[in-house]
Amino acid sequence: MLHKKLKPFPKDFLWGASTSAYQVEGANLSHGKGPSVQDVKKVPEGTSDLTVCADFYHRYKEDIALFAELGFTTFNTTISWARIYPHGVEGGVNQEGVEFYRNVFKECRKYGIDPVITLYKYDEPVYLEETYGDWTNREMIHQFVEFARVCFSEYKGLVDKWLTFNEINILLHFDVKEGKQFAFEELHNQMVAAAKAVKVAHEIDENISVGCMIAGFCSYPYTCDPEDVIANYKEFQEKFAYCADTMVRGYYPSYTKRIWKQNNVTLDISEEDKKDLMEGKSDFLAYSYYMSNVVTTHKDAGEALGGAGTSANLKNPYLTASDWGWQIDPTGYEYFLHVLNDRYQVPIFDVENGLGAYDKVEEDGSIHDDYRINYHRSHIKSLMKAREEGVNIFGYTSWAPIDLVSFTTGQMDKRYGFIYVDMDDEGKGDLHRSKKDSFYWYQKAIKSDGKDLD
């Protein structure tokens, strides 16, 4: 198999942070870029739209210089599909978009930053949606693979670690209005597209590594009732392992029959699909981790977070939560790392870990974000402990290096960055960058390879 010929990952641990194109770039309808589905979506009343963002497109040199000052050895971001193929494969490549990302990756390399790049984060071109509908149309597989081919070819020598779909399992975390059949069909086609892209990458350059990226799901049974224990494990299968098992192992696991049956889903899985999944197994497993949840079979058990009233949103009495009700659990992070390492036996990579919070700018311009430092300190301590105990993790990229538009709320004021961006939810601000206290703390943590976290 081609993936067995890949170079091993570097011995030096990769430190950095992650963003995504539509949440940070701006320049949404310029320089040849067509609209993506994110550019035209409605946002909650009173929150930002994606034209209000960090303007990375015009400020990438300034931002990457700040990343280098932080000590980054890697940087994860996404490539906007609509900037490369604004009107699908049939409309041709937008060379101006290709050159933008080439310049970004060259700028990273100038500072010794080894980029890990994601191809897709829910932002296909509007043209594809208008022409082919959605991901239940198998033509989307071809469109994605050709988009990936351009990226692998154009950035050969600049990027050798790639991710296909960001949090590909997110369709399984929420109720999709079109129904379960729709969600599972879309997901199947996306996983086939990802596998075919892996094969293309290895054909272009056997030194390229391509991973899958799965939204982390760490949960506990709410009680010691055996029914809660089995319900919790099944929820892990349904929300995380369904995709990770398939993409890392190369085939649908046996429990998927139960999942399809209980959701009244029938999938048309061809022999060619099975072959593609097996031949396009992911070289490594990337994930996000922000919080943990609890699962119970007991109705009306415990206190709901944010009034959500579902078992996945029950308050864990042993944990505190962010302003948005995300339960902070560094011990769960350590547990989760061991689960991934033991289950998959491939290198793992942290793509997203961070805390959304309101930041206050003091009169002197300083930003004292001890809450963010405490969050990252506790999670990196768990990561370091897991590394020492043999977990094969090769990188940590927090979410996010600079403030950007939140995916979950559409806000600029839900801030994650070590670098403050002067822009609010109403579009007020001059976009100047300033360093938070967490900037200097993370700089020290990276310099010490995670050993100095005080």
Side-chain angles (χ1 to χ4, degrees):
M1 296 294 290
L2 278 172
H3 72 278
K4 293 183 179 179
K5 298 180 182 179
L6 298 174
K7 292 189 301 184
F9 288 108
K11 293 181 180 179
D12 294 334
F13 191 79
L14 296 177
W15 293 98
S18 295
T19 66
S20 82
Y22 74 82
Q23 291 172 272
V24 76
E25 279 183 6
N28 292 345
L29 299 176
S30 57
H31 306 280
K33 180 182 177 296
S36 80
V37 294
Q38 294 293 338
D39 295 328
V40 299
K41 76 175 185 180
K42 294 182 179 180
V43 297
E45 185 177 351
T47 61
S48 171
D49 63 38
L50 294 172
T51 61
V52 180
C53 66
D55 194 28
F56 179 79
Y57 189 90
H58 296 104
R59 295 169 179 259
Y60 71 89
K61 289 187 177 181
E62 173 189 357
D63 289 336
I64 292 171
L66 284 168
F67 301 165
E69 185 180 345
L70 263 164
F72 282 12
T73 56
T74 192
F75 170 52
N76 169 256
T77 191
T78 68
I79 291 177
S80 170
W81 191 346
R83 207 179 286 285
I84 304 299
Y85 270 126
H87 304 292
V89 174
E90 50 270 42
V93 172
N94 171 33
Q95 196 60 36
E96 194 169 358
V98 170
E99 295 308 315
F100 166 69
Y101 291 109
R102 193 190 318 280
N103 291 333
V104 168
F105 304 150
K106 283 184 175 179
E107 196 71 12
C108 288
R109 289 292 182 185
K110 184 175 81 173
Y111 290 103
I113 296 172
D114 178 12
V116 180
I117 303 303
T118 304
L119 289 169
Y120 174 85
K121 185 174 182 177
Y122 334 124
D123 62 347
E124 58 266 31
V126 167
Y127 169 85
L128 295 181
E129 185 178 69
E130 292 175 344
T131 306
Y132 302 112
D134 50 56
W135 273 96
T136 61
N137 187 331
R138 290 183 66 90
E139 171 61 23
M140 291 295 290
I141 298 174
H142 167 69
Q143 293 284 335
F144 177 80
V145 171
E146 293 310 304
F147 162 55
R149 189 188 305 276
V150 169
C151 294
F152 297 146
S153 300
E154 291 286 349
Y155 308 126
K156 181 179 178 180
L158 288 171
V159 180
D160 61 8
K161 287 179 280 296
W162 293 86
L163 299 169
T164 48
F165 287 74
N166 180 85
E167 294 188 330
I168 193 170
N169 58 325
I170 207 71
L171 282 167
L172 304 180
H173 283 234
F174 305 103
D175 289 330
V176 178
K177 65 180 181 180
E178 294 87 350
K180 293 293 185 180
Q181 178 68 33
F182 172 89
F184 280 92
E185 284 183 19
E186 283 211 323
L187 186 52
H188 173 73
N189 288 342
Q190 289 179 357
M191 289 197 288
V192 171
K196 290 171 75 74
V198 171
K199 292 201 293 182
V200 167
H202 293 166
E203 291 166 2
I204 291 171
D205 183 353
E206 65 178 23
N207 293 319
I208 291 178
S209 296
V210 186
C212 57
M213 197 287 207
I214 316 292
F217 185 78
C218 176
S219 63
Y220 315 114
Y222 191 67
T223 73
C224 56
D225 182 345
E227 292 294 332
D228 277 6
V229 175
I230 191 64
N232 179 64
Y233 186 66
K234 287 182 177 180
E235 191 127 341
F236 171 76
Q237 289 178 325
E238 294 161 12
K239 291 190 174 180
F240 185 89
Y242 179 93
C243 291
D245 286 2
T246 304
M247 299 180 80
V248 174
R249 297 172 179 173
Y251 58 89
Y252 280 107
S254 59
Y255 60 81
T256 55
K257 294 178 181 178
R258 169 184 60 82
I259 294 173
W260 296 333
K261 183 178 180 180
Q262 71 188 29
N263 287 288
N264 196 28
V265 167
T266 302
L267 294 181
D268 181 15
I269 303 174
S270 68
E271 291 303 313
E272 183 178 355
D273 289 346
K274 294 177 182 178
K275 184 172 182 288
D276 286 331
L277 289 171
M278 180 56 69
E279 293 181 350
K281 291 186 291 186
S282 296
D283 299 316
F284 62 93
L285 171 63
Y287 62 88
S288 59
Y289 179 91
Y290 291 94
M291 58 185 167
S292 66
N293 297 298
V294 292
V295 174
T296 187
T297 59
H298 298 262
K299 294 182 179 180
D300 303 320
E303 179 182 350
L305 282 167
T310 65
S311 64
N313 289 283
L314 282 178
K315 182 176 180 180
N316 186 329
Y318 297 97
L319 301 176
T320 59
S322 74
D323 292 334
W324 281 267
W326 294 22
Q327 299 185 102
I328 300 169
D329 187 7
T331 303
Y333 185 43
E334 180 185 347
Y335 160 73
F336 186 63
L337 289 173
H338 280 287
V339 169
L340 299 188
N341 189 68
D342 295 345
R343 186 180 185 102
Y344 296 106
Q345 298 293 301
V346 294
I348 62 175
F349 177 53
D350 184 316
V351 177
E352 295 183 26
N353 174 240
L355 177 71
Y358 294 109
D359 289 337
K360 178 184 178 183
V361 181
E362 304 293 343
E363 290 186 6
D364 63 359
S366 61
I367 300 156
H368 305 306
D369 56 340
D370 289 346
Y371 38 86
R372 184 168 293 109
I373 293 172
N374 291 336
Y375 179 94
H376 283 290
R377 176 189 289 121
S378 61
H379 285 76
I380 292 174
K381 281 184 177 180
S382 290
L383 184 153
M384 295 297 292
K385 186 177 179 184
R387 281 176 69 189
E388 291 169 1
E389 294 174 351
V391 169
N392 184 16
I393 182 169
F394 67 90
Y396 174 86
T397 54
S398 72
W399 186 269
I402 61 176
D403 295 335
L404 39 64
V405 175
S406 168
F407 166 69
T408 52
T409 66
Q411 294 175 274
M412 279 293 293
D413 287 341
K414 185 182 183 183
R415 297 181 182 272
Y416 283 89
F418 304 115
I419 300 164
Y420 186 87
V421 176
D422 184 42
M423 179 62 63
D424 64 17
D425 287 347
E426 297 177 355
K428 297 177 182 177
D430 64 8
L431 292 171
H432 78 264
R433 275 61 165 154
S434 54
K435 302 168 187 175
K436 306 176 188 180
D437 286 357
S438 59
F439 179 100
Y440 302 101
W441 175 85
Y442 195 41
Q443 182 184 59
K444 182 176 62 173
I446 292 173
K447 187 176 181 179
S448 67
D449 189 32
K451 295 179 179 64
D452 186 355
L453 299 175
D454 294 332

